[in-house]
Amino acid sequence: MKIKQFVKKNKWVLLFLLFILSFSLLMASFCFFEPDYYWHIKAGKYMFNNKTILLSDKFSWYLRGTYWFSHEWLFEILLYLLSTVFPGSHVFVYVFVFISLLQLIIFITNKKDYLKNIPFSLFWIVLSLIFLGFLSARPHIFSNVLLCLTIYILLDLFYNENSKKIYLLPLISIIWANVHGGSSSLIYILILIFLFCGMFKFKFSKIEAIRLSKKQIRKYLIVLVLNVLCLMINPHGIKMILYPYMNMADSFMMSFISEWHPTNFSDGSHFPYLGLLVFIAFIFIFSKRKIRFIDLILFCFVAYLGLKSIRFWPYTYIICSYFVFYYISGRKYDKGTSLCFLIASFLFVILAFKNGILPKDSDSIVTSKVIDTIKLEKPKRLYNYYDYGGYLIYNDIDVFVDGRFDLYSKNNIRDYYDICNLNGNYVKLINKYKFDYYLVPNDTRISYYLEHNKRFKKIFSKKDVILYKDLNVN
């Protein structure tokens, strides 16, 4: 009887939980392997087996022993351990757990707002399919959960000066700095934004600002200092504070890696993000409520990040989830709504299993036959295509470059790029490194050069990947 009463009392909450979990299952069914996944898990395996944290390169023949800023070391160990517990499905498990966790945290901490207008809430959840992308086993999904917790805790203090949740942020900082240190600076930047917005009290047109109490300001300042100190609790110490800015200051990396490219509205695939920004702006403008200054500043901040790089699109969805419902009017719903919940949840589960819950390989052209051929040839100075690096590392083959762009940025990445595209004096660069083998796609300029030069012999060709040997190098 108590169970029946509980279900009746919490019917809509339970239906939302069912909807979120089934929708997260659908999202996770689209997860995939990508080249970076392979070196992540290999690094995790190395650290776990050797009981050490990698601070120097172990996978490149050219840079072996060079200092490596392993800012994701804890994630890599966790991913490796997950792969031993769930062999064959660990990518799916990781993505499903953290996507579900993210959606559930947003819902539970905004429960009243979700329930006041269910149709809008369902629409907002479905939007996450577009804006919580990058569904592969990467630390970004873990970071999104930490960001979600951070913004919730900061807002809780902003509207409740007696909140003690703020003292959880130093712990989140320590975790963030070791799981995905490259984005850990967000935590103190957000604290500064909240402090800035809390300095003002005004009403201007529809915009309204409230001033923080001295007690709130003191708490924010204390936690700001603690968080900066906690970010230094990692294998690289104080360098973690500067790392994100040094990384983003690398213009070549920003142009080389597609996910760092800025939002480009001449590209049709970027239109959904523009639509999200316009949608939220319209909600602000046409809402009957005053626009809270903190909400406006947060929106401008995430919009700036999202326009600067498509990598930051998920931040817009996550942070806006904490204020967008405030501006939506309530709406009544009837018994038919619960039926819609059940039907939608059922369809999500069916579609998830139809799509397949095992991860797909986004670039499986480096097959076992390719790997076997390379191992048989035993190259000492292999030139490999950038996207192939992760596959090679996973199979214990030393690489020239791979997805660890920050490692190669100040060393050989520009030379790699010039050779691949036959830029400048590429022949001089080829002779400089004395490559004995080349593993490249057949549609690159370097492949054309190798194909039409008698100095190089084709050893293996499968699908789009070709292995060449330099006959002049021993």
Side-chain angles (χ1 to χ4, degrees), residues 16 25 27 39 51 84 134 149 151 153 159 183 193 214 263 266 280 311 320 329 379 435 437 457 474:
F16 257 111
L25 182 71
M27 290 183 69
W39 69 256
K51 305 297 185 292
T84 62
F134 309 112
L149 290 171
I151 198 72
I153 290 170
Y159 295 112
S183 64
I193 289 174
K214 291 182 180 179
T263 299
S266 64
I280 295 171
R311 183 189 184 102
C320 289
S329 301
F435 303 111
Y437 287 85
K457 178 182 178 182
N474 295 324

Side-chain angles (χ1 to χ4, degrees), residues 53-181:
I53 297 173
L54 276 174
L55 298 177
S56 61
D57 173 61
K58 301 293 181 184
F59 310 121
S60 166
W61 62 263
Y62 181 68
L63 293 177
R64 186 179 297 277
T66 303
Y67 175 69
W68 173 37
F69 200 95
S70 50
H71 66 105
E72 300 162 334
W73 71 271
L74 183 56
F75 161 78
E76 287 152 2
I77 292 176
L78 293 173
L79 186 62
Y80 167 68
L81 292 175
L82 193 66
S83 72
T84 62
V85 178
F86 298 99
S89 60
H90 48 281
V91 176
F92 169 79
V93 171
Y94 168 68
V95 173
F96 172 67
V97 168
F98 279 88
I99 287 292
S100 299
L101 194 57
L102 176 63
Q103 296 278 21
L104 289 172
I105 291 171
I106 294 175
F107 168 68
I108 292 169
T109 54
N110 289 283
K111 186 170 61 176
K112 290 183 179 179
D113 286 328
Y114 265 75
L115 296 178
K116 77 176 184 180
N117 192 323
I118 288 179
F120 177 82
S121 300
L122 298 181
F123 172 72
W124 186 258
I125 292 172
V126 173
L127 277 182
S128 67
L129 186 61
I130 302 173
F131 301 108
L132 295 181
F134 309 112
L135 292 180
S136 59
R138 307 179 68 192
H140 302 74
I141 304 176
F142 202 135
S143 281
N144 288 343
V145 171
L146 297 177
L147 173 62
C148 184
L149 290 171
T150 298
I151 198 72
Y152 163 65
I153 290 170
L154 291 174
L155 280 169
D156 191 65
L157 177 59
F158 199 82
Y159 295 112
N160 175 19
E161 67 174 12
N162 295 317
S163 174
K164 295 181 180 179
K165 297 183 182 73
I166 192 73
Y167 296 114
L168 292 173
L169 283 186
L171 176 61
I172 292 176
S173 288
I174 295 172
I175 297 171
W176 209 333
N178 292 279
V179 169
H180 191 208

Side-chain angles (χ1 to χ4, degrees), residues 3-17:
I3 296 175
K4 187 176 181 180
Q5 289 177 345
F6 175 81
V7 171
K8 186 176 180 181
K9 184 179 180 181
N10 298 280
K11 181 180 73 172
W12 296 110
V13 174
L14 294 173
L15 285 171
F16 257 111
L17 294 178

Side-chain angles (χ1 to χ4, degrees), residues 277-295:
L277 296 182
V278 172
F279 179 59
I280 295 171
F282 269 64
I283 290 174
F284 274 144
I285 294 169
F286 294 105
S287 174
K288 295 178 181 179
R289 296 198 174 208
K290 294 284 187 180
I291 301 173
R292 298 180 297 200
F293 185 55
I294 180 66
D295 297 344

Side-chain angles (χ1 to χ4, degrees), residues 307-318:
L307 292 172
K308 186 176 179 63
S309 170
I310 63 176
R311 183 189 184 102
F312 299 127
W313 285 3
Y315 295 173
T316 301
Y317 179 87
I318 293 167

